[in-house]
Structure formats: C-alpha cells, structure tokens
Amino acid sequence: MKKIGVAILGLGVVGGGVYKVLTEHREFYQKTQELDLSVESVLEPRRDRIEALGIPEEKVAHHVAEAVLNPDVQAVVECIGGVELARQYVLAALKAGKTVVTSNKELICKYSHELERAAKAHNAGLYYEASCVGGVPVIRTLLDGLQSNEISCLMGIINGTTNYILTNMTERGVSYEEALEEAKALGYAEADPTADVEGFDATYKLSILASLAFHTKVPPVKIFREGIGGITAEDIADGEPLGYRLKLLAIGKRTHAGIEVRVHPAFIRKEHPLAGVGGNFNAVFVTGDSVGDVMLYGKGAGELPTAGAVVSDIIFAATHGEHRYSPYKNTAAPDKETTFVDDFTCAYFMRMTVNDEPGILSKITAILGRCGISIVELAQREKEKGKAKLTLITHETHERAVKSAVAKLGATDYAVVESVIRVAQ
Ligand code: HSE
C-alpha cells in the first residue's frame, strides 16, 4: 500500500476539517484507494485548536521548515490564508519537491504562475480544487469531464455569503443591512464582509475558473466587479413581476470580440436553473460546444465540504503517475493574442423617479435613444403627487451607453435614476 504523509499548515476551519477527514476516513482510503494517508505534521500557533482536535504532541511542528521538510511528509496542505506568508510557505514546500494542496483562492489567482513554475522545476504537484466553490468539484470538471469541449460561457453563483443575503432579501423582504447582520450572526459573513459583499471573493474564483475554461490567463484586474452593497429590497421586489430573481453572478464568456469576465448583481429569469439556487448554496452553469449546458450545485464553503475537496486533491496527486499543471500558458500576464472585452453588452433594468408632466416620457426615451438604447418594456405608475415611478428593461446594449444615458438623465431636472441592474442572458 502506498503511504502518503501529510503536513497541514493552519488548523482553522478548513485545516481542522482536513485533519478530521483524513483521520476519520483513513481506513476507508486504505480500502478503496490502496492509500495510507496519515497526518505526520501540523503547524498551528493556537494551542486550543491543536487540543480541540486531540493532535499528539509529536506531530506538532514549531516552525514551517519542520513541517514541510519532514522526510515523512509528501503532501503539504496550505490553509493559513492570506497571501504573503502562504506564498512563502508554499514555495518552500514546492522547492522541497512536496506536493502542495491549497484552498487559497487569492494566492492561486495572483501567484499560480510563480508557484507552478516552482512546482514544475522540482517535480512537485500544485492542486487547488478547494479554492473555488468549496466542495463542488468544478475545477476537476473543467479539467477532466469537459476538457473535450470548447466552453463558450461559464456563469455561476460562487459566493455563498451574498447568495444567503440576497435569498433572505427575496424571500422575507428584509433590507440589505438586516440580511447582512443575520449572515454575520450565523457565521456566514465575516465581521468585515467587504471581500464577499463587494465581489472580491467571487472575482478571485472567477479568475481561476475562467483561466481554466478559456485556456488563457484571466487576471483579476481584467474582471469587471460590482458588489451587492447598493441593492435594495425595492430592486428585488421590482424584479418579481418581471419574472426575475436577483443574484450576484460571476460571468465568463468567450465571444467573437474576446473574453468577457464580470462579477455583479444581475437579474436572471426565474426559469433559469441558477435562479433556484438559494441560501448559501453555490452553483456553476457551464456551456460547452459538445455537451451543451451543465450545472454543478452544492456547498461552496464550510469545514467538511472544503476539506473534502482538499483531500480529493491529495488522493488525485497520489494516484496519478505525473502531476498535472494548468492547461494554458500560465504567465503573470495574459497571452498577447487574448483580447478582453471591457465594454460588454447585456440587457438592463432601470428605475427612476420622474416628474409626472406632459412630454417627460418622450424626453427620457429621446435621451435613451440618442445613446443607442432601445426599450423592450416600460411601466409607469404614480408615486406621489407630481412624481411617477418609471421602470424599464432595455434591449441588449453597451455598458458605456448605459453609463452615458444615466449621466445625461442625472443632469436633468425631471428624472432621478435610482437603480440600474444588468439582466443576465
Ligand atoms: N466567503 C466565501 C463565500 C467562502 O461566502 O462563499 C469561501 O470562499
């Protein structure tokens, strides 16, 4: 039986989960995989975490070199989080020829080119399934099951915190602030929720997934990003009669104009499979030229789902003769021949409060028309004396055209644009 010694760096939620999965399933992996996976070393500054897991003292390393250079260790699990220290630890492990498995999305999306170079130079593996969508095997699916396909679109709900907040706002009509506080109380949102609610977390994941799906480096700086902080209960309620749900979507498309990548709140038709993904669940919807549409759904975060993804990577590395690296030229910057679309197109929802007077509607539609924006549907109702609420959906149009129209409408004395939401197609 093949024996693989594992070092775990960091015993927080994910690292602690990896320890539990490895110890509780040790016999199962012996029987099913002919593999003896044993935790040989842990690095964790907090004694309470070590004691809570009942880890024997002889397995506790006192500095990183003791863990990664341990001759009984072949696989190093990085779960310390953050970027700089994690990068140094991972490089040290790779340079020692150890396979590294990490759940660190920011590290991978910013430094996978450097880490992979070190991995190749030292015949070490670098695996990161757990960095994107926790327990949902989306990276393995892109690399294995869908590798024969040319992928034209990848669209997902890849942040559980924001999905929990938006689902609560939708189902219970609560405000953004109230839903965020509940998410914090339940431990879904961090005390500082910026990374989740402002879309950084989803941007890092989309950078990794789009690079794999489109076979070219998609750095986070190329991704358009807008968070959910400006979403109101009224936005969500306005989508209801139009047949839309509001989600924070990560969208990657390969179009004739180039690669289009964006993370933003979007209305999506209720019949779309992603519209039914509620609570803190995640899903990724992929369109390939042979297969058509495929959707993966599950828990994108949490102790055991994420730990399970880490352990699956350890098993993959241990049961394959050669390590597998990115199926694209993994450099710091994208290929010169890759074009990114910055002025993307989609349909838009707009809500404005307008003066309820003769001729105002024609002035508004004239501004939109001059910006090249065509309207699919429009509804108006009285709001208060002399004011009306106007909602409309546009045909597919350019982002820049919408920004220009919003600026022009904002400069008038008869219209106040309150909300602009992109509509996913
Ligand atoms: N904070 C993330 C989420 C989980 O809410 O989905 C880790 O990526």
Side-chain angles (χ1 to χ4, degrees):
M1 183 170 322
K2 189 169 179 182
K3 186 169 177 3
I4 298 289
V6 179
I8 307 175
L9 312 182
L11 292 173
V13 175
V14 178
V18 171
Y19 183 81
K20 286 183 196 165
V21 171
L22 283 172
T23 47
E24 286 163 19
H25 291 68
R26 189 165 176 183
E27 266 182 47
F28 176 68
Y29 302 138
Q30 288 171 348
K31 275 195 208 135
T32 57
Q33 307 287 336
E34 286 278 308
L35 269 182
D36 184 22
L37 302 181
S38 67
V39 179
E40 294 295 332
S41 187
V42 299
L43 183 72
E44 169 56 56
R46 277 179 52 175
R47 290 298 311 173
D48 58 328
R49 289 179 171 173
I50 293 165
E51 281 157 20
L53 291 163
I55 300 176
E57 204 48 46
E58 66 272 16
K59 307 260 180 198
V60 179
H62 300 96
H63 50 83
V64 67
E66 197 183 334
V68 304
L69 301 181
N70 182 329
D72 295 329
V73 166
Q74 287 79 41
V76 174
V77 174
E78 183 278 308
C79 291
I80 63 167
V83 175
E84 217 20 73
L85 202 56
R87 179 183 174 202
Q88 288 169 29
Y89 287 6
V90 168
L91 278 171
L94 294 171
K95 286 177 181 167
K98 309 292 168 91
T99 281
V100 171
V101 177
T102 178
S103 57
N104 192 328
K105 63 195 89 78
E106 190 173 353
L107 176 71
I108 290 299
C109 87
K110 291 183 177 166
Y111 292 107
S112 71
H113 59 284
E114 180 193 33
L115 303 179
E116 214 166 69
R117 202 167 51 234
K120 284 179 181 171
H122 296 88
N123 193 27
L126 176 66
Y127 298 91
Y128 46 88
E129 179 67 65
S131 67
C132 292
V133 205
V136 182
V138 58
I139 290 180
R140 190 68 50 76
T141 302
L142 290 171
L143 287 171
D144 287 338
L146 295 179
Q147 78 209 105
S148 60
N149 281 257
E150 190 165 350
I151 292 170
S152 55
C153 179
L154 181 150
M155 185 154 75
I157 294 169
I158 58 178
N159 180 270
T161 306
T162 47
N163 203 37
Y164 179 83
I165 291 170
L166 293 174
T167 303
N168 253 325
M169 290 175 73
T170 305
E171 291 178 355
R172 297 178 30 236
V174 296
S175 68
Y176 169 76
E177 289 74 19
E178 224 175 308
L180 175 60
E181 285 315 310
E182 281 178 20
K184 281 186 188 171
L186 288 168
Y188 294 146
E190 311 270 339
D192 175 1
T194 311
D196 291 318
V197 299
E198 291 307 324
F200 291 101
D201 175 83
T203 298
Y204 297 150
K205 292 170 184 164
L206 181 60
S207 158
I208 297 169
L209 296 178
S211 300
L212 296 172
F214 302 132
H215 300 271
T216 188
K217 184 80 167 191
V218 179
V221 290
K222 294 286 181 192
I223 300 178
F224 173 90
R225 177 188 55 78
E226 188 178 291
I228 65 165
I231 296 296
T232 64
E234 188 174 5
D235 293 332
I236 291 177
D238 282 343
E240 190 62 33
L242 295 165
Y244 293 126
R245 286 268 154 76
L246 203 141
K247 297 288 181 188
L248 180 74
L249 291 185
I251 300 172
K253 287 184 182 175
R254 186 207 301 275
T255 71
H256 292 302
I259 305 285
E260 181 183 315
V261 267
R262 44 196 169 102
V263 168
H264 54 70
F267 278 133
I268 187 161
R269 291 221 69 83
K270 282 185 197 165
E271 305 78 53
H272 193 288
L274 286 174
V277 176
N280 62 347
F281 275 81
N282 284 200
V284 180
F285 189 88
V286 183
T287 307
D289 61 347
S290 304
V291 71
D293 295 334
V294 172
M295 188 162 104
L296 294 167
Y297 166 90
K299 290 184 178 154
E303 183 189 40
L304 296 181
T306 313
V310 168
V311 176
S312 289
D313 270 349
I314 299 174
I315 294 172
F316 181 95
T319 52
H320 286 72
E322 287 191 4
H323 290 303
R324 183 168 60 192
Y325 304 106
S326 300
Y328 62 92
K329 206 158 85 196
N330 194 355
T331 43
D335 279 339
K336 286 211 171 48
E337 54 269 26
T338 302
T339 310
F340 288 89
V341 178
D342 54 0
D343 187 22
F344 56 86
T345 60
C346 65
Y348 290 78
F349 162 88
M350 287 188 196
R351 182 179 66 243
M352 49 194 112
T353 295
V354 300
N355 288 359
D356 199 1
E357 294 161 10
I360 293 294
L361 202 52
S362 72
K363 285 186 187 171
I364 290 169
T365 52
I367 289 178
L368 294 174
R370 278 201 299 280
C371 292
I373 298 170
S374 162
I375 296 166
V376 177
E377 55 181 294
L378 181 146
Q380 183 184 315
R381 62 178 168 76
E382 193 175 19
K383 195 169 173 178
E384 61 205 54
K385 202 159 168 45
K387 296 282 179 197
K389 169 175 167 169
L390 190 70
T391 54
L392 58 89
I393 301 282
T394 72
H395 277 290
E396 187 167 339
T397 190
H398 282 272
E399 175 80 8
R400 276 196 203 126
V402 171
K403 291 222 160 92
S404 161
V406 169
K408 287 188 170 75
L409 288 165
T412 69
D413 57 2
Y414 51 79
V416 176
V417 179
E418 289 164 356
S419 184
V420 177
I421 294 172
R422 297 165 194 88
V423 179
Q425 287 158 310

